Amino acid sequence: MLGYIYFPKFNEERLVQRAEMFLAAKDYSSAAITAQRALQINEQNLAAVRTLTAILNETRDPTVLTWKQRLVDLEPGSLENRLSLAESALALGQVVIADETLTAARDAGQGQARYHALAGRVARATNKPEQAETEFAEAARLEPANAEYQLDWQAARLQSADPTTRTAARTALEALRDQPAVSARASRVLIREAMQSRDGERALALAESLEKSGSVTFEDRLAHLDLLHRLKRPNYPTYLAALQEEAAQKPEHLTVLIGWLNERHSALVVVDWSRRLPPEILTTMPVPVALAQSYVRLRDWAGLKPFIADTAVIANPPATKLGEAAVGKWGEFEFLRLAYLAAMHRADGDQEQAKVRWNAAVKATANRPGAVAALARQAVEWNWGADATDLVWQAARTSPAPLWALQFLYRTYEEQQATSNLRQVAAKVLEVEPTNRDMVNNHAMLSLLLGTDVAESVDKIRELHRLDPQNPNFISTYALGLFLQGFSQEALALMKTLTPEQLEQPSIAASYGMILSATEEKAEARKFLELAKDAKLLPEEKELIAQAWKRIAATTTPAPARPDE
């Protein structure tokens, strides 16, 4: 009996072949749909996963990481798959994923230049300059003809503390400017180094040379403009006008230049310039986002309203993909539109609507660390108190680069004299920068003041003192820890290793005065406790100072009474 015969394997292969044909023709939508149909038949189809990964790579879709991880899972022994995943993760700013991926590939990657180059990039992104230099040097050694690896190595050497090494690196980078494949990038590295060295003239000469080359980009020209602005050159207005004319041809360039001007307190220049631009480009995303920021900075709510109103016209409204929830008027930037509406309602005194819009803005950042960070920065700029602090904490927990958020929180809690919160922030900083000695000291100090993990904190500060025995702050914290553990004489001996000038610094004088008050040198304690009045002390420190004064008062012998009294 003849019947319908189903050949799933045959269908899989045909679907993959068709997907590959669509991909070759750059018909990414048809390629993705066809590859997904093959995966519906067999989710383990390696060729289909590879094809879909290639599509997502071409379209720069962030979900490419999910599919590259799937390739790793399907072929766990493939070094190429792991390196590709790490490369994409770095490109998307997912440093943790890149680091974890390369750690898993460490043994297989040894002796592979690409592995070491990627490991160097991870080290650079995580602020480990010495490790970055080591990895880049190995990549360059393995492939000496690879100019990119040579450039990365020399750029890392520019960060060396050794002047001779920096000079040699600069010379090598100058030579790399003669190699067409890396000439422009070498120039950019040297421009940044010149600015860091405060050598504006050399930076400007390099920028002018780069502009004359055929490899200059809009970003290079913007960096050139920035140099002219910093150096207060008379041709800055002329160069700006030329760049404005160029930027007006492309919405993405216009957006970047508007943002640059906003950051340099030139929002009024932007608003005036925008009145001479065609309306169609002003309504093309993401230009409205940048232009709205100009009005926000000027607190021009009436001028802002046409750009952010629910009825505002957008020339290229964001599309909603099949199966996705409807996106807002500004697409991925909808959270900013809602935040601007909240600010506008606040300015109008409508606190209820302001709260509704703000809550919606926060909700629109869900699962998007970059959006959380951007909204947090905006709230900080507006000085929105608790709303800002709550969001900055969220940014600190989710952002791949949270230090700015943690620094803001540290300053905020210092002003509020919130010791427990300060300790919480210090602990978070140490998760990001575990070798930050100053923060190890701060965390130990805060723990001592709160009476939390005292023995462990003393051990940590003892190790800091061993590593840097001349550091007065480490000595002061270590001595305070010993004092709080009841070892007053040992603490006093440690403090006396400091110079008189160091002991008279108000914050150090506070610790010294406390310790002296518990010894036979109470008269000397008075002097340093008086000096401590100029220190910015936390409540717990003030309490320790108060206890010190009580100890001094309790042992002060009253003057003998006069006979006639």
Side-chain angles (χ1 to χ4, degrees):
M1 178 179 176
L2 296 176
Y4 180 75
I5 302 174
Y6 180 53
F7 299 99
K9 184 69 176 176
F10 176 68
N11 285 345
E12 275 182 61
E13 292 175 355
R14 284 191 61 184
L15 287 169
V16 172
Q17 289 171 2
R18 287 176 61 82
E20 290 171 347
M21 288 173 58
F22 285 130
L23 175 59
K26 299 189 183 301
D27 184 352
Y28 300 123
S29 178
S30 297
I33 292 171
T34 309
Q36 286 171 337
R37 284 176 61 194
L39 287 168
Q40 286 171 352
I41 297 172
N42 177 11
E43 63 180 15
Q44 303 296 316
N45 189 308
L46 191 58
V49 174
R50 280 207 183 97
T51 302
L52 190 56
T53 301
I55 296 164
L56 297 172
N57 248 343
E58 288 291 329
T59 56
R60 298 184 180 181
D61 191 310
T63 60
V64 70
L65 296 184
T66 301
W67 290 95
K68 288 197 172 186
Q69 181 60 61
R70 194 159 171 182
L71 276 177
V72 169
D73 295 339
L74 289 171
E75 292 185 306
S78 170
L79 177 63
E80 169 58 32
N81 288 345
R82 292 185 187 276
L83 296 183
S84 180
L85 172 58
E87 205 161 45
S88 292
L90 282 169
L92 292 168
Q94 299 295 324
V95 180
V96 173
I97 293 176
D99 193 11
E100 291 173 349
T101 302
L102 291 175
T103 298
R106 181 179 291 126
D107 291 342
Q110 295 305 308
Q112 301 293 321
R114 186 179 170 203
Y115 166 83
H116 290 288
L118 288 169
R121 289 172 59 189
V122 167
R124 183 173 60 197
T126 52
N127 196 29
K128 298 173 183 174
E130 292 180 1
Q131 184 179 335
E133 182 180 342
T134 299
E135 295 289 1
F136 286 136
E138 182 63 6
R141 185 188 69 80
L142 290 166
E143 289 190 22
N146 188 312
E148 291 285 351
Y149 295 164
Q150 295 294 334
L151 191 151
D152 282 331
W153 177 35
Q154 300 304 334
R157 296 180 75 210
L158 272 183
Q159 307 306 312
S160 172
D162 178 28
T164 304
T165 301
R166 291 199 304 272
T167 300
R170 195 178 301 119
T171 301
L173 286 164
E174 286 287 357
L176 285 169
R177 290 178 64 211
D178 294 331
Q179 296 195 30
V182 294
S183 176
R185 190 173 159 221
S187 294
R188 293 174 193 125
V189 171
L190 286 167
I191 290 170
R192 285 195 297 271
E193 185 271 334
M195 289 305 297
Q196 289 170 359
S197 302
R198 302 183 183 279
D199 190 346
E201 294 301 325
R202 180 162 62 90
L204 190 57
L206 286 162
E208 289 171 349
S209 175
L210 177 58
E211 182 131 5
K212 293 173 184 176
S213 74
S215 303
V216 69
T217 64
F218 181 80
E219 289 71 22
D220 292 329
R221 298 202 69 202
L222 186 61
H224 190 166
L225 177 71
D226 190 59
L227 278 169
L228 295 173
H229 180 263
R230 290 190 193 191
L231 298 173
K232 296 181 173 57
R233 288 306 173 93
N235 59 328
Y236 165 74
T238 305
Y239 196 93
L240 171 60
L243 203 57
Q244 285 176 313
E245 186 176 346
E246 179 183 342
Q249 308 307 310
K250 288 186 177 182
E252 58 271 27
H253 289 170
L254 181 57
T255 300
V256 170
L257 184 53
I258 289 174
W260 184 89
L261 288 165
N262 283 337
E263 291 170 1
R264 283 149 188 81
H265 310 290
S266 298
L268 196 59
V269 172
V270 172
V271 170
D272 180 63
W273 173 34
S274 70
R275 295 188 178 116
R276 302 191 298 274
L277 293 171
E280 56 270 20
I281 198 167
L282 296 180
T283 57
T284 300
M285 293 295 289
V287 175
V289 180
L291 187 53
Q293 180 62 229
S294 302
Y295 284 100
V296 168
R297 286 175 179 266
L298 294 171
R299 300 293 194 269
D300 183 354
W301 308 115
L304 173 67
K305 189 172 182 178
F307 293 95
I308 65 172
D310 293 334
T311 55
V313 175
I314 298 296
N316 58 334
T320 301
K321 296 179 182 178
L322 188 63
E324 288 185 351
V327 295
K329 184 174 287 289
W330 278 12
E332 62 179 306
F333 301 107
E334 181 68 0
F335 70 96
L336 284 176
R337 188 182 77 88
L338 294 166
Y340 295 159
L341 283 167
M344 187 176 72
H345 287 307
R346 276 200 182 198
D348 291 341
D350 189 345
Q351 298 301 324
E352 184 177 346
Q353 268 301 305
K355 191 65 178 175
V356 169
R357 294 291 194 172
W358 179 251
N359 288 341
V362 173
K363 185 177 180 180
T365 65
N367 302 316
R368 297 166 58 205
V372 172
L375 190 58
R377 287 181 185 274
Q378 187 64 80
V380 168
E381 186 176 320
W382 288 335
N383 196 26
W384 276 13
D387 283 335
T389 302
D390 291 346
L391 203 56
V392 172
W393 257 121
Q394 191 176 337
R397 294 187 181 103
T398 61
S399 173
L403 283 179
W404 73 269
L406 293 167
Q407 288 166 357
F408 168 80
L409 290 168
Y410 204 90
R411 289 194 303 271
T412 299
Y413 292 136
E414 271 190 321
E415 291 171 5
Q416 296 175 359
Q417 295 195 317
T419 311
S420 181
N421 289 337
L422 274 171
R423 182 176 181 272
Q424 188 179 0
V425 176
K428 188 67 181 175
V429 172
L430 290 175
E431 289 179 18
V432 181
E433 293 186 326
T435 59
N436 185 328
R437 292 181 181 178
D438 289 331
M439 195 53 65
V440 171
N441 178 68
N442 290 354
H443 185 262
M445 178 70 169
L446 294 164
S447 298
L448 293 173
L449 292 176
L450 292 167
T452 303
D453 301 328
V454 172
E456 180 183 344
S457 297
V458 172
D459 287 344
K460 288 181 178 178
I461 197 65
R462 181 185 293 114
E463 176 61 14
L464 279 186
H465 177 55
R466 185 188 69 80
L467 294 170
D468 189 357
Q470 305 304 317
N471 188 306
N473 293 320
F474 297 171
I475 290 173
S476 178
T477 304
Y478 184 19
L480 180 62
L482 292 173
F483 166 69
L484 293 175
Q485 287 184 313
F487 302 110
S488 300
Q489 291 301 327
E490 291 83 348
L492 182 60
L494 188 61
M495 290 296 287
K496 287 187 173 182
T497 64
L498 294 173
T499 66
E501 293 78 15
Q502 290 172 332
L503 287 170
E504 290 179 2
Q505 293 175 18
S507 60
I508 293 177
S511 294
Y512 193 36
M514 292 177 209
I515 295 167
L516 286 168
S517 73
T519 69
E520 298 300 320
E521 302 184 42
K522 291 182 175 57
E524 184 75 358
R526 287 178 174 275
K527 168 188 172 182
F528 290 95
L529 291 176
E530 288 292 341
L531 289 171
K533 290 180 179 179
D534 293 329
K536 293 181 179 179
L537 302 177
L538 293 167
E540 292 79 4
E541 290 175 297
K542 292 176 182 177
E543 176 58 27
L544 289 172
I545 292 289
Q547 292 174 14
W549 281 115
K550 287 179 182 178
R551 282 192 292 273
I552 293 172
T555 56
T556 300
T557 304
R562 293 171 56 182
D564 59 344
E565 290 182 340

